[in-house]
Amino acid sequence: MECYRAGIQVTMLTGDHPQTAAAIARQVGILQDEDEEKSGEHQALSLGPLVMTAREFDRLTDDEIDALPELPHVIARCSPDTKVKMIEAMHRRSGIVAMTGDGVNDSPSLKFADVGIAMGQTGSDVAKQASEIILTDDNFATIVRAIREGRRVFSNIQRFCCVLVSGNVAELVCLVIGLAFRDGLGETVFPLSPVAILVNNLLTGTPPAMALGVEKAWPTIMDEPPRSPSSGLFTWEVQGDIVFYGFGIGLLSIANFWLVMNGFGDGHMGEECNKAYSESCDLVFRARGTVFATLTLAILLHAYNCRRLRGPMWNWHMIRRVHENRFLFSGVVCGTILCILCIYVPGLNTSVLKLKGISWEWGIVLVTLLIFLILSELYKFAKRKLYKPLS
């Protein structure tokens, strides 16, 4: 049943008698109640379109097979040629075929399938050599677990890429727009110093992204349909996430720089503030501290957004599970502590990072983070309405 929820069609090709094959298929869930009605299982000579013998299936031409509403779920009295013909029919329907087998007569179909899976305990040496995978415990449930694990790994790589690339886009947007700020000498006043950018990358890049790489599979992962082989990691949805989150964090960060400088300050950019701290650069350094805190904390929180690319993350149910991924939780907590230390440690802040400790500006930072979380939830809500449901 888990295979059907995941969009995987299981077909049984066996040498057993048709009635025996149909009975086994019903026991393991290959034939459902509605399938039994379609197949007409009580007919004496034929079990219908979903349960066929190899002779019935082999008599059909390729055009007749392609015209069937769906391929048979069970084929009895099967020969090696019948198995290859079924795989060809699945390929014509753009299916990705995994074939299991143990005997010498299974080797042609194991070789012809996209993924050949041989039985490790009862399989012949010929079948094992023709396969890509050897199932050491001869248990079909192991294949299902492998599919679940593969989906988990793929989705975690997507999360990894999303948080890394969108964080870099946010820095790029903030810095490029920051080129518009100039001092009295006509020189550009950077919203962040080069060293501060590197420290931000160190705090927000590797730890959260690596933590997302070990994220556990969500319970609904096997309810999602198979992805297209041509979609790749950067689907249109992931690209949209990168652009939205990247531009959102970047614009909010540079907006805070402007607020501190011009909204609550006098707009005086000082002189040569990119080189060293001076009294005339006090406001610029405080604005940089605000940008550094906003950018760092927003990207750290964005890592939690990437745990669920569509589902809500900031409701009470999910907030209670914030420590579920202990690596991510530790990375965000440590990143927050180090961010605060970078802002307030004397010498490190003004001399190295070219910023200064902030006070009332924390109110701007917290309001900005709240706005970012609200926008993130609204964006995910829009995606759930506009995109095709995953399950």
Side-chain angles (χ1 to χ4, degrees):
M1 292 302 294
E2 193 171 13
C3 287
Y4 285 107
R5 294 203 318 269
I8 301 170
Q9 174 63 53
V10 180
T11 301
M12 185 170 71
L13 310 177
T14 178
D16 293 334
H17 186 276
Q19 295 290 352
T20 304
I24 296 174
R26 284 193 294 272
Q27 290 178 3
V28 299
I30 295 176
L31 286 178
Q32 307 297 318
D33 293 337
E34 60 272 16
D35 295 338
E36 296 175 9
E37 296 175 3
K38 295 178 185 177
S39 63
E41 56 173 325
H42 299 295
Q43 296 178 15
L45 299 178
S46 174
L47 294 179
L50 296 183
V51 180
M52 291 185 177
T53 63
R55 181 178 298 178
E56 293 172 328
F57 187 74
D58 291 339
R59 281 202 302 261
L60 300 176
T61 64
D62 289 347
D63 292 337
E64 290 174 334
I65 293 174
D66 294 340
L68 294 174
E70 55 182 315
L71 294 174
H73 294 184
V74 178
I75 297 182
R77 300 298 189 193
C78 205
S79 66
D81 291 339
T82 306
K83 297 176 182 179
V84 173
K85 187 173 183 179
M86 172 60 82
I87 295 173
E88 290 176 341
M90 292 179 175
H91 282 164
R92 290 196 300 272
R93 300 188 180 212
S94 302
I96 305 297
V97 184
M99 174 72 186
T100 63
D102 57 1
V104 175
N105 61 340
D106 292 324
S107 57
S109 54
L110 289 172
K111 195 69 176 178
F112 191 66
D114 298 289
V115 181
I117 305 173
M119 300 297 107
Q121 297 179 2
T122 61
S124 64
D125 291 339
V126 175
K128 293 177 182 178
Q129 292 176 3
S131 302
E132 286 79 21
I133 299 175
I134 298 177
L135 197 61
T136 57
D137 61 356
D138 290 9
N139 190 347
F140 185 82
T142 303
I143 301 176
V144 180
R145 290 196 296 270
I147 294 172
R148 186 189 301 111
E149 179 66 13
R151 290 187 174 192
R152 184 191 72 85
V153 171
F154 184 84
S155 60
N156 284 354
I157 295 175
Q158 279 191 322
R159 297 183 180 108
F160 178 94
C161 294
C162 184
V163 70
L164 275 184
V165 180
S166 56
N168 291 334
V169 170
E171 294 174 358
L172 181 63
V173 169
C174 180
L175 296 175
V176 169
I177 298 177
L179 296 175
F181 295 95
R182 298 183 180 273
D183 59 15
L185 301 177
E187 297 181 356
T188 299
V189 178
F190 300 143
L192 284 177
S193 68
V195 178
I197 297 170
L198 293 175
V199 172
N200 175 269
N201 271 327
L202 180 64
L203 298 180
T204 63
T206 305
M210 294 296 291
L212 288 172
V214 297
E215 181 76 22
K216 294 181 180 179
W218 289 91
T220 58
I221 195 169
M222 290 299 283
D223 294 333
E224 301 175 5
R227 63 179 180 85
S228 171
S230 60
S231 62
L233 282 172
F234 293 95
T235 61
W236 287 110
E237 181 178 356
V238 173
Q239 293 178 44
D241 292 346
I242 291 172
V243 171
F244 176 82
Y245 291 121
F247 273 80
I249 296 174
L251 291 174
L252 289 173
S253 299
I254 197 63
N256 282 358
F257 186 84
W258 181 88
L259 277 175
V260 175
M261 292 298 305
N262 299 91
F264 297 96
D266 57 10
H268 181 58
M269 294 288 178
E271 295 179 0
E272 298 184 342
C273 295
N274 294 331
K275 297 179 180 180
Y277 175 77
S278 64
E279 289 297 330
S280 64
C281 296
D282 184 78
L283 186 61
V284 172
F285 273 54
R286 294 176 71 89
R288 285 177 180 166
T290 306
V291 172
F292 183 79
T294 302
L295 191 61
T296 303
L297 297 179
I299 296 177
L300 289 175
L301 290 177
H302 173 50
Y304 273 101
N305 275 336
C306 292
R307 287 190 69 196
R308 303 182 73 188
L309 295 180
R310 284 197 193 180
M313 192 63 222
W314 299 108
N315 55 29
W316 178 243
H317 173 68
M318 294 307 301
I319 291 175
R320 292 173 59 187
R321 301 171 60 182
V322 72
H323 60 280
E324 197 172 49
N325 186 333
R326 55 190 179 92
F327 297 104
L328 179 59
F329 182 73
S330 300
V332 171
V333 171
C334 292
T336 302
I337 294 173
L338 292 174
C339 171
I340 296 173
L341 291 176
C342 289
I343 294 174
Y344 290 105
V345 172
L348 176 63
N349 52 8
T350 55
S351 301
V352 179
L353 301 177
K354 300 295 187 295
L355 52 84
K356 189 179 179 182
I358 57 178
S359 55
W360 57 267
E361 292 90 348
W362 279 112
I364 298 177
V365 174
L366 295 178
V367 170
T368 302
L369 295 178
L370 180 61
I371 292 173
F372 170 67
L373 297 182
I374 293 174
L375 291 177
S376 300
E377 290 301 303
L378 291 176
Y379 172 68
K380 289 184 178 182
F381 177 78
K383 284 206 303 181
R384 292 194 295 273
K385 293 296 183 181
L386 298 177
Y387 282 81
K388 182 180 179 180
L390 291 177
S391 57

PDB file of all heavy atoms in Angstrom, residues 177-188:
ATOM      1  N   ILE A 177      22.853  46.889  -3.566  1.00  0.00           N
ATOM      2  CA  ILE A 177      22.061  48.094  -3.297  1.00  0.00           C
ATOM      3  C   ILE A 177      22.842  49.049  -2.403  1.00  0.00           C
ATOM      4  O   ILE A 177      22.729  50.277  -2.511  1.00  0.00           O
ATOM      5  CB  ILE A 177      20.709  47.715  -2.659  1.00  0.00           C
ATOM      6  CG1 ILE A 177      19.894  46.852  -3.626  1.00  0.00           C
ATOM      7  CG2 ILE A 177      19.917  48.957  -2.262  1.00  0.00           C
ATOM      8  CD1 ILE A 177      18.573  46.378  -3.063  1.00  0.00           C
ATOM      9  N   GLY A 178      23.676  48.497  -1.519  1.00  0.00           N
ATOM     10  CA  GLY A 178      24.479  49.332  -0.638  1.00  0.00           C
ATOM     11  C   GLY A 178      25.477  50.207  -1.350  1.00  0.00           C
ATOM     12  O   GLY A 178      25.988  51.184  -0.765  1.00  0.00           O
ATOM     13  N   LEU A 179      25.764  49.904  -2.615  1.00  0.00           N
ATOM     14  CA  LEU A 179      26.682  50.757  -3.376  1.00  0.00           C
ATOM     15  C   LEU A 179      26.114  52.156  -3.606  1.00  0.00           C
ATOM     16  O   LEU A 179      26.856  53.079  -3.961  1.00  0.00           O
ATOM     17  CB  LEU A 179      26.992  50.101  -4.728  1.00  0.00           C
ATOM     18  CG  LEU A 179      27.741  48.759  -4.691  1.00  0.00           C
ATOM     19  CD1 LEU A 179      27.874  48.182  -6.088  1.00  0.00           C
ATOM     20  CD2 LEU A 179      29.114  48.943  -4.048  1.00  0.00           C
ATOM     21  N   ALA A 180      24.810  52.309  -3.400  1.00  0.00           N
ATOM     22  CA  ALA A 180      24.197  53.630  -3.603  1.00  0.00           C
ATOM     23  C   ALA A 180      24.500  54.595  -2.468  1.00  0.00           C
ATOM     24  O   ALA A 180      24.338  55.814  -2.624  1.00  0.00           O
ATOM     25  CB  ALA A 180      22.683  53.468  -3.762  1.00  0.00           C
ATOM     26  N   PHE A 181      24.954  54.108  -1.308  1.00  0.00           N
ATOM     27  CA  PHE A 181      25.245  54.980  -0.171  1.00  0.00           C
ATOM     28  C   PHE A 181      26.665  55.541  -0.307  1.00  0.00           C
ATOM     29  O   PHE A 181      27.632  54.780  -0.379  1.00  0.00           O
ATOM     30  CB  PHE A 181      25.116  54.208   1.149  1.00  0.00           C
ATOM     31  CG  PHE A 181      23.715  53.750   1.438  1.00  0.00           C
ATOM     32  CD1 PHE A 181      23.292  52.474   1.092  1.00  0.00           C
ATOM     33  CD2 PHE A 181      22.806  54.597   2.056  1.00  0.00           C
ATOM     34  CE1 PHE A 181      22.011  52.047   1.354  1.00  0.00           C
ATOM     35  CE2 PHE A 181      21.514  54.182   2.330  1.00  0.00           C
ATOM     36  CZ  PHE A 181      21.111  52.909   1.975  1.00  0.00           C
ATOM     37  N   ARG A 182      26.756  56.864  -0.304  1.00  0.00           N
ATOM     38  CA  ARG A 182      28.060  57.517  -0.472  1.00  0.00           C
ATOM     39  C   ARG A 182      28.244  58.591   0.604  1.00  0.00           C
ATOM     40  O   ARG A 182      27.281  59.209   1.064  1.00  0.00           O
ATOM     41  CB  ARG A 182      28.183  58.132  -1.871  1.00  0.00           C
ATOM     42  CG  ARG A 182      28.112  57.090  -2.991  1.00  0.00           C
ATOM     43  CD  ARG A 182      28.294  57.692  -4.365  1.00  0.00           C
ATOM     44  NE  ARG A 182      28.221  56.664  -5.396  1.00  0.00           N
ATOM     45  CZ  ARG A 182      29.255  55.938  -5.810  1.00  0.00           C
ATOM     46  NH1 ARG A 182      30.447  56.149  -5.251  1.00  0.00           N
ATOM     47  NH2 ARG A 182      29.110  55.032  -6.750  1.00  0.00           N
ATOM     48  N   ASP A 183      29.503  58.787   0.960  1.00  0.00           N
ATOM     49  CA  ASP A 183      29.803  59.794   1.979  1.00  0.00           C
ATOM     50  C   ASP A 183      30.046  61.145   1.346  1.00  0.00           C
ATOM     51  O   ASP A 183      29.840  61.334   0.128  1.00  0.00           O
ATOM     52  CB  ASP A 183      31.012  59.354   2.812  1.00  0.00           C
ATOM     53  CG  ASP A 183      32.262  59.149   1.960  1.00  0.00           C
ATOM     54  OD1 ASP A 183      32.268  59.614   0.792  1.00  0.00           O
ATOM     55  OD2 ASP A 183      33.229  58.525   2.455  1.00  0.00           O
ATOM     56  N   GLY A 184      30.506  62.115   2.157  1.00  0.00           N
ATOM     57  CA  GLY A 184      30.724  63.467   1.652  1.00  0.00           C
ATOM     58  C   GLY A 184      31.806  63.559   0.608  1.00  0.00           C
ATOM     59  O   GLY A 184      31.827  64.512  -0.204  1.00  0.00           O
ATOM     60  N   LEU A 185      32.722  62.600   0.583  1.00  0.00           N
ATOM     61  CA  LEU A 185      33.802  62.597  -0.403  1.00  0.00           C
ATOM     62  C   LEU A 185      33.411  61.879  -1.692  1.00  0.00           C
ATOM     63  O   LEU A 185      34.229  61.768  -2.614  1.00  0.00           O
ATOM     64  CB  LEU A 185      35.046  61.923   0.194  1.00  0.00           C
ATOM     65  CG  LEU A 185      35.612  62.572   1.464  1.00  0.00           C
ATOM     66  CD1 LEU A 185      36.783  61.769   1.992  1.00  0.00           C
ATOM     67  CD2 LEU A 185      36.020  64.019   1.200  1.00  0.00           C
ATOM     68  N   GLY A 186      32.178  61.386  -1.752  1.00  0.00           N
ATOM     69  CA  GLY A 186      31.721  60.675  -2.936  1.00  0.00           C
ATOM     70  C   GLY A 186      32.120  59.218  -2.983  1.00  0.00           C
ATOM     71  O   GLY A 186      31.914  58.546  -4.000  1.00  0.00           O
ATOM     72  N   GLU A 187      32.678  58.693  -1.879  1.00  0.00           N
ATOM     73  CA  GLU A 187      33.084  57.296  -1.830  1.00  0.00           C
ATOM     74  C   GLU A 187      31.939  56.430  -1.303  1.00  0.00           C
ATOM     75  O   GLU A 187      31.154  56.858  -0.450  1.00  0.00           O
ATOM     76  CB  GLU A 187      34.312  57.127  -0.937  1.00  0.00           C
ATOM     77  CG  GLU A 187      35.536  57.856  -1.450  1.00  0.00           C
ATOM     78  CD  GLU A 187      36.735  57.637  -0.546  1.00  0.00           C
ATOM     79  OE1 GLU A 187      36.563  56.975   0.503  1.00  0.00           O
ATOM     80  OE2 GLU A 187      37.829  58.130  -0.873  1.00  0.00           O
ATOM     81  N   THR A 188      31.882  55.197  -1.795  1.00  0.00           N
ATOM     82  CA  THR A 188      30.839  54.275  -1.374  1.00  0.00           C
ATOM     83  C   THR A 188      31.037  53.861   0.082  1.00  0.00           C
ATOM     84  O   THR A 188      32.151  53.561   0.509  1.00  0.00           O
ATOM     85  CB  THR A 188      30.847  53.018  -2.261  1.00  0.00           C
ATOM     86  OG1 THR A 188      30.594  53.398  -3.616  1.00  0.00           O
ATOM     87  CG2 THR A 188      29.781  52.028  -1.808  1.00  0.00           C
TER      88      THR A 188
END
